[in-house]
Every structure is written in C-alpha cells, then in structure tokens.
Amino acid sequence: LNMSLGPSQVNTIHKLYSNQFRLGRGADSKADDVNNAVTRGENIFSFAVVRNPWTRLVSGYRDKLSGEVTPGRPAFRGLARRIAHEMNLRDNMTNSGTHPTFNQYLRWLVDNPNKLNDHFTPQHLQLCIPSARYDYVIPLEYSGVLNKDINQKINTTLQLSGAYDSVSDPRLQSSAVLSREWLSQQDHQVIDRLYQIYKADFALMDYSNFSHPDFPLPMHRK
C-alpha cells in the first residue's frame, strides 16, 4: 500500500475493500487494525481481486437485478423496481415488471454513470487506483491458481473468493457463456459506450473482449 496515504484514506480503502483473511473479522476492527498499523509505520500487505468487466456486468445483473433467485437479489429489489419503472416508461411499456431486462439494465448504466453502486462502479475507482497501490492485483479468473501465493504472504489456508460457478474453466462458466450470447445481441453503440465507462478496468489486466475465443481471460496470460 502507498504509505504516503494518510490514515483516513487508508481507512476508507480498507473498511470497504479490506483483506478479510488477514485482518479482524468485523468491518470496524479491520479499519482499526489498518489505522493502528499505519500509525506504527508498519508495512501492510494489500491485494485486490478484479474481474473481466463484461462478465462482471452480466453477473451483477443476474445476481442483483434479474428475476433469478440468487443470494444477493432480495436486497436489491428496490433498485430493480426503480430501473424497471424508469426504463418501461422510456420504452413505452405498459407492464409493471419488477425486474429490468438485460438490455434495459445496460442502457440504464450508460445513461446513469454517476448513479452506479459498488456492484456496477468501475473497479479501479472502488480500489482508489492509482492513489492506492497493491502488492497483488489478481484476476478473478486465476484466483484459484494464485491462491497459494496469497496464502504464503498472509499465513492462511483460506480460499480466495471466486466465481460461484462450479466449472473450473472460466471460459465455460455460465457468466462467460451468457456474456457472449447476451452482449453479442446488443446495439453496438450501447456496447461502445459501456466500454468507455469501464475502459480503465479492461486495461487493468488487458482483459479480452466477449468476442475473443479465450474470453474472459486476460490477454497477457502467456
């Protein structure tokens, strides 16, 4: 971590995006541990896990806004209803659906780049890059492979968070398969505008486009 940052900036970063495997279990204790370590002048090992923006968009929609029954959906019912209502009015749809379609979700993101919550905000902004520096920035697609390296650094045997899909090859996981299918059906202007919003996230790992054979893997994997 960039040790030139003050305790308040470090607190902001780690309270929201802290390393749950190294610090205390509660959110407040994590922030306190980080601030105390900074005050003592200790070095802090810090890492972040990022994901291909296209699969992240699809996963965010499926888990938070779609009609699928998923663990994250109940807390986002209000947001789903608001987006569906706004977009149905715009599309002159008379039905009172409680979930936006995937196309409506993408167009809403394009038109509301300043209203995005943590699940849809560009990852580099959430991680305070470039103000904050990380020892490791790990692509989610390789979290299983890189888990051993992180374990050695933080002296734990816990597993890094990964995709919910049980398929080990990221190219065959449902989010990747649906991303190829759903995104290829969208208007090119919408796709281009989404790319501009998440352009820096693509650059983080030189992530592949959904039309690439090795999607969603980083292009510099070799």
Side-chain angles (χ1 to χ4, degrees):
L1 187 68
N2 183 352
M3 297 305 292
S4 65
L5 294 178
S8 62
Q9 290 94 337
V10 173
N11 177 67
T12 298
I13 295 170
H14 283 274
K15 186 173 183 180
L16 295 176
Y17 313 107
S18 58
N19 169 7
Q20 62 178 315
F21 305 117
R22 182 174 188 270
L23 303 179
R25 292 186 179 276
D28 292 336
S29 64
K30 293 175 185 177
D32 292 341
D33 286 348
V34 171
N35 281 335
N36 291 337
V38 171
T39 301
R40 294 192 300 269
E42 295 181 5
N43 289 324
I44 301 174
F45 175 75
S46 184
F47 70 92
V49 180
V50 298
R51 188 177 191 179
N52 188 300
W54 292 129
T55 51
R56 181 170 176 257
L57 283 176
V58 171
S59 178
Y61 170 75
R62 295 180 65 203
D63 188 46
K64 305 298 187 295
L65 303 176
S66 75
E68 295 184 53
V69 179
T70 64
R73 184 172 61 85
F76 286 82
R77 285 173 180 164
L79 177 60
R81 283 195 297 266
R82 289 195 297 273
I83 294 176
H85 178 71
E86 178 181 332
M87 299 306 294
N88 285 341
L89 289 176
R90 184 184 303 181
D91 295 339
N92 295 317
M93 297 175 62
T94 57
N95 67 319
S96 57
T98 57
H99 304 284
T101 66
F102 183 64
N103 175 264
Q104 288 178 329
Y105 156 70
L106 295 183
R107 288 186 288 125
W108 186 87
L109 290 177
V110 165
D111 292 337
N112 297 275
N114 297 321
K115 296 182 180 180
L116 308 183
N117 63 27
D118 287 349
H119 296 281
F120 311 124
T121 300
Q123 295 166 92
H124 76 281
L125 295 178
Q126 291 179 311
L127 298 175
C128 305
I129 295 173
S131 297
R133 298 176 182 175
Y134 295 85
D135 296 290
Y136 282 67
V137 177
I138 301 169
L140 175 72
E141 296 79 12
Y142 290 146
S143 62
V145 177
L146 297 174
N147 194 86
K148 182 178 180 180
D149 291 342
I150 298 299
N151 282 347
Q152 291 176 345
K153 291 286 187 179
I154 60 180
N155 191 29
T156 184
T157 58
L158 295 175
Q159 295 295 308
L160 294 177
S161 298
Y164 298 127
D165 201 307
S166 60
V167 178
S168 59
D169 189 338
R171 294 168 292 186
L172 303 178
Q173 291 174 351
S174 59
S175 288
V177 173
L178 291 176
S179 294
R180 292 190 194 95
E181 178 184 348
W182 292 357
L183 292 167
S184 64
Q185 298 171 357
Q186 305 306 313
D187 182 86
H188 290 304
Q189 290 185 342
V190 172
I191 295 299
D192 289 343
R193 291 179 67 185
L194 285 168
Y195 178 80
Q196 292 303 317
I197 294 174
Y198 297 99
K199 188 174 182 178
D201 285 356
F202 282 102
L204 279 175
M205 289 287 142
D206 191 18
Y207 270 120
S208 55
N209 191 32
F210 59 85
S211 59
H212 193 278
D214 283 337
F215 171 81
L217 302 179
M219 297 300 291
H220 60 46
R221 64 195 182 284
K222 295 180 180 180

